Amino acid sequence: MKRRAFMNWVGVSFMATSLPVAIAACSPAEDTAEDAAEDVTEAADPCGATEAATEEVDSSVRDDGFAALGTVTELDDAGFLADKDFVAGAVIVIRDPANPDGIIALDSMCPHQGCHVDWTDTEFACPCHGSKFSTDGEVTDGPANEALGSYEAKIEDDLVLIQTT
Ligand code: FES
């Protein structure tokens, strides 16, 4: 067998033997009882990333008038936290670019016609008519002509807290 023919034969043989393995590896596996037990163990692990990413916080209003919007971990992972239906009103929170330990909490409702602004990593932008706002909520581009409202906010332990009153 000549070298070229041999290499073609080896290539075809490799594809023929590895294809079923590749297909099996990409197929959804059925969970066994052992897998299910592992899943429960991972979910119960307080140090697990899955737990931190899906953690539910108690957002009821505390005695000091603050309520938790989410965790600092969630804020830092996503770059922002937002809730249109938060107990204090629509809110969006970012890290303060001038003070990495601080946070900025703004009313996410655009003063132009009431759409909710998005965080773009450098500014707030309204998806409806293109208004833009600086990190402190001031208008940098219309048609909005008023700044975003603000909330008092603080970090306590791993919670992002917003004043509700
Ligand atoms: Fe935001 Fe119009 S509602 S720019």
Side-chain angles (χ1 to χ4, degrees), residues 110 112-115 126 128-131 143:
C110 178
H112 179 233
Q113 289 184 6
C115 294
C126 182
C128 292
H129 310 104
S131 289

Side-chain angles (χ1 to χ4, degrees), residues 4 78 103:
R4 174 173 249 164
I103 54 176

